Amino acid sequence: MPAASTSLFRTALQAARDAAGSQDYPQGTLYVVATPIGNLADVTLRALHVLELADAVACEDTRHTQSLLRAYGIDRKGSQLLAVHQHNEAEAAQMVVARLAQGERIAYVSDAGTPGVSDPGARLAAAVRAAGHRVLPLPGASSVTTLLSAAGLVAADSDDYSAFVFAGFLPTKATERDGAIQRLAQEPRAVVLLEAPHRIEAVARALAVLGERRVTLGRELTKQFEEIETVPAAQLSEWLAAKEQRTRGEFALVLHPSASRDGTADEGERVLRLLLPELPVKTAVRLAAEISGAPRNALYERALQLKEADAG
């Protein structure tokens, strides 16, 4: 973060004091604070005020958070930053609870975005609520809603806005990931995924089984080199490979709603055609039926026809 950021945000910090300072901020409360996912200007005025007001800031990475606070002109001693991350969340939560019991205000931030959404924070919030203290959320940036807002999702069989499912990160092991994708293929609603740069190519290859189902990919959202693109799942690997930088950065993906169930038979044959060259007939039929929802007997008959045509 550039050192010049502090001077740039001086007026924002004063605006935060003016706009949010007169509101009520009860003591003995955990403030769950959303922070920008890339663009520093996406911080909210209330977030700035609470980060300055709180007795301590619990955070996923103290060095990252210290840099973030300094960029906004907020000065915090090292002792006022409490490490609460994936590996110590359970025990660190008890430390936070003890401080809340003394009437302190504690703000919690993850490295970027909204805590507790594929980031640490859920166990902390649960422990604080279980101890009888208040958890007060300060909404703000989220890669999930950021990409959804640009994906243009409409329900497949109506003019209604589409519902969505948040699946987060897929399993890292290939067999488990393939199984998860097979289950997602049967989900008619939109599905939001998150992924890291070192796994995005493997995920793209695995998603190819979804064929023509559209995928909107967001790379480096809100940052200078942000890219948002919608392609069929079968072409996602090709799109990533077209430019070297496309595999860099953090990723969010949206699987668009599946086609209307009226197209189940066509979808079953499409999947079957993809699987038959690689797998035995019975295995290809079973997987095609699970993925598309098409009747297994009909797929088996069609598989025999396709095999016979290829042999001829």
Side-chain angles (χ1 to χ4, degrees), residues 169-205:
F169 289 89
L170 291 173
T172 56
K173 293 183 178 179
T175 53
E176 295 176 2
R177 182 169 57 236
D178 290 345
I181 290 173
Q182 289 176 22
R183 292 188 291 275
L184 292 179
Q186 300 177 58
E187 171 57 63
R189 294 168 291 183
V191 180
V192 182
L193 304 171
L194 302 178
E195 200 46 78
H198 63 281
R199 289 196 299 264
I200 189 62
E201 291 175 289
V203 167
R205 289 193 295 270

Short mmCIF file of all heavy atoms in Angstrom, two decimals, residues 169-205:
data_model
loop_
_atom_site.label_atom_id
_atom_site.label_comp_id
_atom_site.label_asym_id
_atom_site.label_seq_id
_atom_site.Cartn_x
_atom_site.Cartn_y
_atom_site.Cartn_z
N PHE A 169 -14.75 -22.48 -1.51
CA PHE A 169 -13.63 -23.16 -2.17
C PHE A 169 -13.95 -24.63 -2.38
O PHE A 169 -14.44 -25.31 -1.47
CB PHE A 169 -12.36 -23.03 -1.33
CG PHE A 169 -11.77 -21.65 -1.31
CD1 PHE A 169 -12.18 -20.73 -0.34
CD2 PHE A 169 -10.83 -21.25 -2.24
CE1 PHE A 169 -11.64 -19.45 -0.32
CE2 PHE A 169 -10.29 -19.97 -2.23
CZ PHE A 169 -10.70 -19.07 -1.26
N LEU A 170 -13.67 -25.14 -3.56
CA LEU A 170 -13.82 -26.56 -3.85
C LEU A 170 -12.70 -27.35 -3.16
O LEU A 170 -11.65 -26.79 -2.83
CB LEU A 170 -13.77 -26.80 -5.35
CG LEU A 170 -14.96 -26.28 -6.16
CD1 LEU A 170 -14.69 -26.43 -7.66
CD2 LEU A 170 -16.25 -26.99 -5.78
N PRO A 171 -12.89 -28.66 -2.94
CA PRO A 171 -11.83 -29.47 -2.34
C PRO A 171 -10.54 -29.41 -3.15
O PRO A 171 -10.57 -29.26 -4.38
CB PRO A 171 -12.42 -30.89 -2.35
CG PRO A 171 -13.90 -30.69 -2.39
CD PRO A 171 -14.12 -29.45 -3.20
N THR A 172 -9.40 -29.56 -2.49
CA THR A 172 -8.11 -29.48 -3.17
C THR A 172 -7.74 -30.79 -3.87
O THR A 172 -7.05 -30.78 -4.88
CB THR A 172 -7.00 -29.10 -2.18
OG1 THR A 172 -6.98 -30.05 -1.12
CG2 THR A 172 -7.25 -27.71 -1.61
N LYS A 173 -8.21 -31.92 -3.33
CA LYS A 173 -7.90 -33.21 -3.96
C LYS A 173 -8.77 -33.40 -5.20
O LYS A 173 -9.98 -33.14 -5.17
CB LYS A 173 -8.12 -34.35 -2.98
CG LYS A 173 -7.13 -34.34 -1.81
CD LYS A 173 -7.34 -35.54 -0.89
CE LYS A 173 -6.32 -35.54 0.24
NZ LYS A 173 -6.51 -36.69 1.16
N ALA A 174 -8.17 -33.90 -6.27
CA ALA A 174 -8.85 -33.98 -7.57
C ALA A 174 -10.12 -34.83 -7.51
O ALA A 174 -11.16 -34.44 -8.04
CB ALA A 174 -7.90 -34.53 -8.62
N THR A 175 -10.05 -35.99 -6.86
CA THR A 175 -11.22 -36.88 -6.84
C THR A 175 -12.36 -36.25 -6.05
O THR A 175 -13.52 -36.34 -6.47
CB THR A 175 -10.84 -38.25 -6.23
OG1 THR A 175 -10.22 -38.04 -4.95
CG2 THR A 175 -9.88 -39.00 -7.13
N GLU A 176 -12.02 -35.60 -4.93
CA GLU A 176 -13.06 -34.95 -4.14
C GLU A 176 -13.63 -33.75 -4.88
O GLU A 176 -14.84 -33.48 -4.82
CB GLU A 176 -12.49 -34.53 -2.78
CG GLU A 176 -12.06 -35.69 -1.91
CD GLU A 176 -11.42 -35.23 -0.62
OE1 GLU A 176 -11.35 -34.00 -0.39
OE2 GLU A 176 -10.98 -36.08 0.17
N ARG A 177 -12.77 -33.02 -5.58
CA ARG A 177 -13.23 -31.87 -6.35
C ARG A 177 -14.17 -32.30 -7.48
O ARG A 177 -15.22 -31.68 -7.70
CB ARG A 177 -12.03 -31.12 -6.93
CG ARG A 177 -12.41 -29.87 -7.72
CD ARG A 177 -11.19 -29.04 -8.04
NE ARG A 177 -10.19 -29.78 -8.76
CZ ARG A 177 -8.92 -29.92 -8.37
NH1 ARG A 177 -8.51 -29.37 -7.25
NH2 ARG A 177 -8.06 -30.60 -9.09
N ASP A 178 -13.80 -33.39 -8.18
CA ASP A 178 -14.66 -33.88 -9.26
C ASP A 178 -16.02 -34.30 -8.73
O ASP A 178 -17.06 -34.05 -9.36
CB ASP A 178 -13.99 -35.06 -9.96
CG ASP A 178 -12.77 -34.64 -10.78
OD1 ASP A 178 -12.62 -33.43 -11.03
OD2 ASP A 178 -11.97 -35.52 -11.15
N GLY A 179 -16.03 -34.92 -7.55
CA GLY A 179 -17.30 -35.31 -6.95
C GLY A 179 -18.15 -34.12 -6.58
O GLY A 179 -19.37 -34.12 -6.78
N ALA A 180 -17.50 -33.09 -6.06
CA ALA A 180 -18.23 -31.86 -5.70
C ALA A 180 -18.84 -31.21 -6.93
O ALA A 180 -19.98 -30.73 -6.91
CB ALA A 180 -17.29 -30.89 -4.99
N ILE A 181 -18.10 -31.21 -8.03
CA ILE A 181 -18.60 -30.61 -9.27
C ILE A 181 -19.76 -31.41 -9.83
O ILE A 181 -20.74 -30.85 -10.35
CB ILE A 181 -17.46 -30.46 -10.29
CG1 ILE A 181 -16.49 -29.38 -9.82
CG2 ILE A 181 -18.01 -30.10 -11.68
CD1 ILE A 181 -15.25 -29.25 -10.66
N GLN A 182 -19.71 -32.73 -9.71
CA GLN A 182 -20.83 -33.56 -10.15
C GLN A 182 -22.10 -33.21 -9.37
O GLN A 182 -23.20 -33.16 -9.93
CB GLN A 182 -20.50 -35.04 -9.98
CG GLN A 182 -19.46 -35.56 -10.97
CD GLN A 182 -19.09 -36.99 -10.70
OE1 GLN A 182 -19.85 -37.73 -10.08
NE2 GLN A 182 -17.91 -37.40 -11.15
N ARG A 183 -21.93 -32.94 -8.07
CA ARG A 183 -23.10 -32.56 -7.27
C ARG A 183 -23.60 -31.17 -7.65
O ARG A 183 -24.81 -30.93 -7.74
CB ARG A 183 -22.76 -32.63 -5.78
CG ARG A 183 -22.52 -34.05 -5.26
CD ARG A 183 -22.38 -34.08 -3.76
NE ARG A 183 -21.15 -33.44 -3.30
CZ ARG A 183 -19.98 -34.05 -3.21
NH1 ARG A 183 -19.86 -35.33 -3.56
NH2 ARG A 183 -18.91 -33.41 -2.76
N LEU A 184 -22.67 -30.26 -7.90
CA LEU A 184 -23.06 -28.90 -8.31
C LEU A 184 -23.75 -28.90 -9.66
O LEU A 184 -24.60 -28.04 -9.93
CB LEU A 184 -21.82 -27.99 -8.36
CG LEU A 184 -21.16 -27.66 -7.02
CD1 LEU A 184 -19.95 -26.78 -7.24
CD2 LEU A 184 -22.14 -26.98 -6.07
N ALA A 185 -23.41 -29.86 -10.51
CA ALA A 185 -24.03 -29.93 -11.84
C ALA A 185 -25.53 -30.17 -11.74
O ALA A 185 -26.28 -29.82 -12.64
CB ALA A 185 -23.38 -31.05 -12.66
N GLN A 186 -25.96 -30.76 -10.63
CA GLN A 186 -27.38 -31.03 -10.45
C GLN A 186 -28.10 -29.89 -9.73
O GLN A 186 -29.31 -29.96 -9.53
CB GLN A 186 -27.54 -32.33 -9.64
CG GLN A 186 -26.91 -33.54 -10.33
CD GLN A 186 -27.01 -34.78 -9.48
OE1 GLN A 186 -28.10 -35.22 -9.11
NE2 GLN A 186 -25.88 -35.39 -9.17
N GLU A 187 -27.36 -28.85 -9.36
CA GLU A 187 -27.94 -27.69 -8.69
C GLU A 187 -28.45 -26.72 -9.75
O GLU A 187 -27.67 -26.17 -10.53
CB GLU A 187 -26.87 -27.01 -7.82
CG GLU A 187 -27.27 -25.67 -7.25
CD GLU A 187 -28.53 -25.75 -6.43
OE1 GLU A 187 -28.54 -26.45 -5.40
OE2 GLU A 187 -29.53 -25.11 -6.85
N PRO A 188 -29.77 -26.48 -9.82
CA PRO A 188 -30.31 -25.61 -10.88
C PRO A 188 -30.04 -24.13 -10.64
O PRO A 188 -30.09 -23.34 -11.57
CB PRO A 188 -31.81 -25.91 -10.84
CG PRO A 188 -32.07 -26.36 -9.44
CD PRO A 188 -30.83 -27.10 -9.01
N ARG A 189 -29.76 -23.75 -9.40
CA ARG A 189 -29.52 -22.35 -9.11
C ARG A 189 -28.08 -21.95 -9.44
O ARG A 189 -27.22 -22.80 -9.67
CB ARG A 189 -29.79 -22.07 -7.62
CG ARG A 189 -31.23 -22.25 -7.22
CD ARG A 189 -31.41 -22.26 -5.71
NE ARG A 189 -30.83 -23.44 -5.11
CZ ARG A 189 -30.89 -23.74 -3.81
NH1 ARG A 189 -31.49 -22.90 -2.99
NH2 ARG A 189 -30.33 -24.85 -3.35
N ALA A 190 -27.82 -20.66 -9.46
CA ALA A 190 -26.46 -20.18 -9.64
C ALA A 190 -25.62 -20.61 -8.44
O ALA A 190 -26.11 -20.73 -7.32
CB ALA A 190 -26.45 -18.67 -9.78
N VAL A 191 -24.33 -20.84 -8.69
CA VAL A 191 -23.42 -21.28 -7.64
C VAL A 191 -22.19 -20.37 -7.64
O VAL A 191 -21.58 -20.15 -8.70
CB VAL A 191 -22.96 -22.74 -7.84
CG1 VAL A 191 -22.01 -23.17 -6.72
CG2 VAL A 191 -24.16 -23.68 -7.90
N VAL A 192 -21.83 -19.84 -6.47
CA VAL A 192 -20.67 -18.97 -6.34
C VAL A 192 -19.51 -19.77 -5.74
O VAL A 192 -19.66 -20.43 -4.72
CB VAL A 192 -20.96 -17.75 -5.45
CG1 VAL A 192 -19.73 -16.84 -5.38
CG2 VAL A 192 -22.16 -16.98 -5.99
N LEU A 193 -18.36 -19.68 -6.40
CA LEU A 193 -17.14 -20.36 -5.95
C LEU A 193 -16.04 -19.33 -5.75
O LEU A 193 -16.04 -18.26 -6.39
CB LEU A 193 -16.67 -21.38 -6.98
CG LEU A 193 -17.65 -22.46 -7.42
CD1 LEU A 193 -17.08 -23.24 -8.60
CD2 LEU A 193 -17.95 -23.41 -6.26
N LEU A 194 -15.09 -19.65 -4.89
CA LEU A 194 -13.88 -18.85 -4.74
C LEU A 194 -12.69 -19.75 -5.05
O LEU A 194 -12.75 -20.96 -4.86
CB LEU A 194 -13.76 -18.32 -3.31
CG LEU A 194 -14.91 -17.45 -2.79
CD1 LEU A 194 -14.66 -17.05 -1.35
CD2 LEU A 194 -15.11 -16.22 -3.66
N GLU A 195 -11.60 -19.17 -5.56
CA GLU A 195 -10.44 -20.00 -5.86
C GLU A 195 -9.15 -19.19 -5.81
O GLU A 195 -9.15 -17.97 -6.06
CB GLU A 195 -10.59 -20.67 -7.22
CG GLU A 195 -9.71 -21.87 -7.40
CD GLU A 195 -9.73 -22.79 -6.18
OE1 GLU A 195 -10.70 -23.56 -6.02
OE2 GLU A 195 -8.77 -22.72 -5.38
N ALA A 196 -8.06 -19.88 -5.48
CA ALA A 196 -6.73 -19.27 -5.41
C ALA A 196 -6.01 -19.45 -6.74
O ALA A 196 -6.33 -20.36 -7.51
CB ALA A 196 -5.93 -19.93 -4.27
N PRO A 197 -5.01 -18.61 -7.02
CA PRO A 197 -4.35 -18.67 -8.32
C PRO A 197 -3.66 -19.99 -8.62
O PRO A 197 -3.66 -20.44 -9.77
CB PRO A 197 -3.34 -17.51 -8.26
CG PRO A 197 -3.22 -17.16 -6.82
CD PRO A 197 -4.53 -17.48 -6.20
N HIS A 198 -3.09 -20.65 -7.61
CA HIS A 198 -2.36 -21.89 -7.89
C HIS A 198 -3.27 -23.08 -8.17
O HIS A 198 -2.79 -24.14 -8.55
CB HIS A 198 -1.40 -22.21 -6.73
CG HIS A 198 -2.09 -22.49 -5.43
ND1 HIS A 198 -2.56 -21.48 -4.61
CD2 HIS A 198 -2.39 -23.65 -4.80
CE1 HIS A 198 -3.11 -22.01 -3.53
NE2 HIS A 198 -3.02 -23.33 -3.63
N ARG A 199 -4.60 -22.89 -7.99
CA ARG A 199 -5.53 -23.99 -8.29
C ARG A 199 -6.51 -23.68 -9.41
O ARG A 199 -7.28 -24.54 -9.81
CB ARG A 199 -6.32 -24.36 -7.02
CG ARG A 199 -5.51 -25.06 -5.94
CD ARG A 199 -6.44 -25.73 -4.93
NE ARG A 199 -7.30 -24.77 -4.26
CZ ARG A 199 -7.04 -24.22 -3.08
NH1 ARG A 199 -5.93 -24.52 -2.45
NH2 ARG A 199 -7.88 -23.37 -2.53
N ILE A 200 -6.49 -22.45 -9.91
CA ILE A 200 -7.54 -22.04 -10.85
C ILE A 200 -7.51 -22.87 -12.14
O ILE A 200 -8.57 -23.20 -12.69
CB ILE A 200 -7.45 -20.53 -11.17
CG1 ILE A 200 -8.67 -20.07 -11.96
CG2 ILE A 200 -6.16 -20.20 -11.88
CD1 ILE A 200 -9.98 -20.22 -11.23
N GLU A 201 -6.33 -23.24 -12.63
CA GLU A 201 -6.27 -24.02 -13.86
C GLU A 201 -6.85 -25.42 -13.67
O GLU A 201 -7.57 -25.93 -14.53
CB GLU A 201 -4.83 -24.09 -14.37
CG GLU A 201 -4.30 -22.75 -14.86
CD GLU A 201 -2.84 -22.79 -15.24
OE1 GLU A 201 -2.00 -22.91 -14.33
OE2 GLU A 201 -2.55 -22.73 -16.44
N ALA A 202 -6.55 -26.04 -12.55
CA ALA A 202 -7.10 -27.37 -12.26
C ALA A 202 -8.61 -27.30 -12.11
O ALA A 202 -9.34 -28.19 -12.58
CB ALA A 202 -6.46 -27.94 -10.98
N VAL A 203 -9.11 -26.26 -11.46
CA VAL A 203 -10.56 -26.09 -11.30
C VAL A 203 -11.23 -25.88 -12.65
O VAL A 203 -12.28 -26.43 -12.94
CB VAL A 203 -10.86 -24.92 -10.34
CG1 VAL A 203 -12.33 -24.53 -10.41
CG2 VAL A 203 -10.48 -25.30 -8.92
N ALA A 204 -10.59 -25.08 -13.51
CA ALA A 204 -11.15 -24.83 -14.84
C ALA A 204 -11.26 -26.13 -15.64
O ALA A 204 -12.26 -26.37 -16.32
CB ALA A 204 -10.29 -23.82 -15.58
N ARG A 205 -10.23 -26.97 -15.56
CA ARG A 205 -10.28 -28.25 -16.28
C ARG A 205 -11.40 -29.13 -15.73
O ARG A 205 -12.11 -29.81 -16.48
CB ARG A 205 -8.94 -28.97 -16.15
CG ARG A 205 -7.81 -28.32 -16.95
CD ARG A 205 -6.61 -29.24 -17.03
NE ARG A 205 -6.00 -29.47 -15.72
CZ ARG A 205 -5.05 -28.72 -15.19
NH1 ARG A 205 -4.58 -27.67 -15.85
NH2 ARG A 205 -4.55 -29.01 -14.00
#
